[in-house]
Amino acid sequence: MPMELVFLIEQLLNGLLVGVAYLLIALGLSLIFSLGGIVNLAHGGFYAIGAYIGVEVGNRFGFPAAFVAAPLSVALIGMVIERTLFSRFYRADPILSLLLTFGLAMVIEQALRMAFGATPIPFSIPAFLKGQVFLGDFIYSRYRLAILVVAAAAVLGLWLLLQRTAFGRVVRAGVQNPDMVGALGISLTPYLTAVAAIGIGLAGLAGIMLAPISGVHPAMGSEILTAAFVVVVIGGLGSFWGVVAAGLLVGLVRGLTVYFIPPAAEASMYVLMLAVLLTRPRGLFGERILRFE
């Protein structure tokens, strides 16, 4: 296999790795906004919390325990935040929830800085996932490959939950027409809490998986949040597969850009977003949501 092709495949996979991290966060953002109308600017903060919980638990009990504890702990925090804060703003002016979550994001970042310091904390790849996978002339990190597999399993599991269960049917109906769901005697309150837990828990999952690669520091959430919003915009509000496709597309475009024009790698997703918005203002697979019309 030519070395140029090997390098290109490696960059495409690295791009996909970045893309799946974005889409895990973007899926949570899209879910919470679609059902509750909350633009959660604090979502990146929960990503950072997941990474810090992973570090603390991992140093004491090992990576497998951290991998389980981080998303579950962040999901529980999300449930508390939803019941105490988000629930007060579902029917309020959207600008109020925007200000709320912006303030919450700053509180989270400063609290992490006060508790752990501003210096990045290293977090090692677990021993059983160190090393490389060899496919002929192609060599790739075993840990990065594991992240891609876990992310794919998370996306598939969420899709099955939303499309193949009674819970998912209520959530999808609540996204389109919550008043009709209420008229049928179904309270959306527990579903809103569950959706917040799932969406914020996905951010925690991304945090623990990316921690050994990107390092752990208080501002890591704000760095990834903008990219996650770009993925939501490209994919289209309310579209599950739109967000997934956008995350993968952003990753592939980034990988190609790193290969051909390395200095433009960071800007590539913004150029892609501009191109999509000029041709499809709703995003690639944007759906009409009646209550937002």
Side-chain angles (χ1 to χ4, degrees):
M1 184 182 297
M3 290 307 298
E4 293 82 1
L5 181 58
V6 170
F7 182 66
L8 175 60
I9 294 173
E10 181 181 358
Q11 293 308 316
L12 288 175
L13 285 176
N14 286 338
L16 282 176
L17 183 75
V18 174
V20 297
Y22 293 165
L23 79 84
L24 285 177
I25 297 172
L27 279 174
L29 281 170
S30 183
L31 272 175
I32 293 170
F33 178 75
S34 296
L35 187 60
I38 300 290
V39 180
N40 185 15
L41 296 180
H43 214 67
F46 295 114
Y47 164 80
I49 290 174
Y52 274 101
I53 290 176
V55 169
E56 292 299 308
V57 175
N59 289 338
R60 290 171 172 77
F61 305 104
F63 185 83
F67 182 78
V68 174
L72 289 180
S73 300
V74 174
L76 289 174
I77 294 171
M79 293 175 70
V80 174
I81 294 295
E82 190 279 333
R83 283 291 83 210
T84 57
L85 296 177
F86 290 178
S87 61
R88 302 171 183 266
F89 293 89
Y90 288 138
R91 296 190 179 275
D93 187 332
I95 193 66
L96 296 177
S97 62
L98 202 65
L99 292 171
L100 166 74
T101 56
F102 178 70
L104 182 59
M106 291 192 292
V107 168
I108 291 173
E109 182 174 332
Q110 294 306 317
L112 291 175
R113 185 171 281 109
M114 291 172 62
F116 299 98
T119 305
I121 300 175
F123 188 44
S124 300
I125 293 173
F128 64 91
L129 287 176
K130 287 182 177 179
Q132 288 76 38
V133 174
F134 295 86
L135 296 173
D137 294 329
F138 180 70
I139 303 173
Y140 198 65
S141 163
R142 182 179 286 116
Y143 183 72
R144 289 173 180 256
L145 196 60
I147 290 177
L148 293 173
V149 172
V150 171
V155 170
L156 178 60
L158 182 58
W159 180 81
L160 290 173
L161 177 66
L162 294 176
Q163 297 293 328
R164 296 288 187 264
T165 66
F167 170 85
R169 286 192 289 273
V170 174
V171 169
R172 285 185 284 118
V175 167
Q176 287 296 333
N177 199 328
D179 293 333
M180 182 61 71
V181 174
L184 294 173
I186 301 173
S187 172
L188 282 177
T189 299
Y191 294 92
L192 287 162
T193 304
V195 162
I198 293 168
I200 291 173
L202 285 174
L205 176 64
I208 178 61
M209 290 197 301
L210 270 293
I213 295 176
S214 61
V216 181
H217 57 93
M220 63 188 295
S222 57
E223 292 175 357
I224 202 170
L225 183 64
T226 302
F229 271 112
V230 169
V231 169
V232 173
V233 171
I234 293 174
L237 178 63
S239 173
F240 179 90
W241 288 115
V243 172
V244 173
L248 298 178
L249 183 60
V250 165
L252 288 173
V253 169
R254 180 188 174 92
L256 288 171
T257 307
V258 168
Y259 182 78
F260 291 106
I261 319 172
E266 289 297 326
S268 62
M269 63 179 174
Y270 300 106
V271 175
L272 177 62
M273 180 178 68
L274 177 62
V276 169
L277 289 179
L278 288 174
T279 54
R280 292 185 61 85
R282 286 185 183 270
L284 294 176
F285 301 98
E287 299 178 0
R288 292 187 64 189
I289 298 179
L290 298 180
R291 64 199 181 94
F292 293 144
E293 292 291 329

